[in-house]
Amino acid sequence: MHRGSCLCGAVRFTVEGDLPAPDACHCGKCRKHSGHYFVSSDVPRSAVTIEGADQVRWFQSSEKARRGFCSVCGSSLFWDPLHRDWIGIAMGAFDTPTHTRIAVHVYMADKGDYYDVADEAPKFDTVPPRP
């Protein structure tokens, strides 16, 4: 079981089972939502329990997805693709060690000019197809 929360603790969550390796998204929307690039693990909705869900506010950032954040402290927590059976949870919001490593970097063509990405994970200018 993995636990996490927003900065102020108004929103807490648990994830049952292992966390899939996270992806790092460098697109402009993720950078604006998170303040840097957004790293999240895509977990089955059925594995997630959210306490304080009434404090989560959702912003529809595209026709395909919405982004969830704490209405009290503003912490970026979720990337929710509509009509999918999974949800992306921000890696920085986990309280416990995740025992994961970034699996892939996406939208590298949009990344900020103020940082470099030097890890060994594959890098793509868009999103590769999901298996």
Side-chain angles (χ1 to χ4, degrees), residues 5-71:
S5 66
C6 63
L7 182 61
C8 72
V11 179
R12 298 183 179 282
F13 59 85
T14 58
V15 177
E16 289 283 338
D18 293 334
L19 293 175
D23 55 82
C25 184
H26 300 264
C27 79
K29 289 178 183 178
C30 280
R31 289 190 299 112
K32 296 229 180 230
H33 176 65
S34 69
H36 193 35
Y37 57 91
F38 192 70
V39 181
S40 61
S41 181
D42 300 339
V43 300
R45 290 181 191 279
S46 61
V48 180
T49 302
I50 300 173
E51 296 175 38
D54 58 323
Q55 296 300 324
V56 176
R57 295 297 175 266
W58 295 97
F59 173 70
Q60 185 90 31
S61 57
S62 74
E63 66 283 348
K64 296 179 182 179
R66 64 184 186 158
R67 297 161 190 272
F69 60 95
C70 174
S71 65

Side-chain angles (χ1 to χ4, degrees), residues 101-131:
R101 291 282 183 253
I102 292 174
V104 64
H105 292 270
V106 297
Y107 291 108
M108 290 295 293
D110 296 343
K111 87 168 203 50
D113 63 352
Y114 60 91
Y115 64 93
D116 294 316
V117 178
D119 64 28
E120 299 298 319
K123 295 158 185 68
F124 298 93
D125 285 342
T126 61
V127 176
R130 284 186 173 265

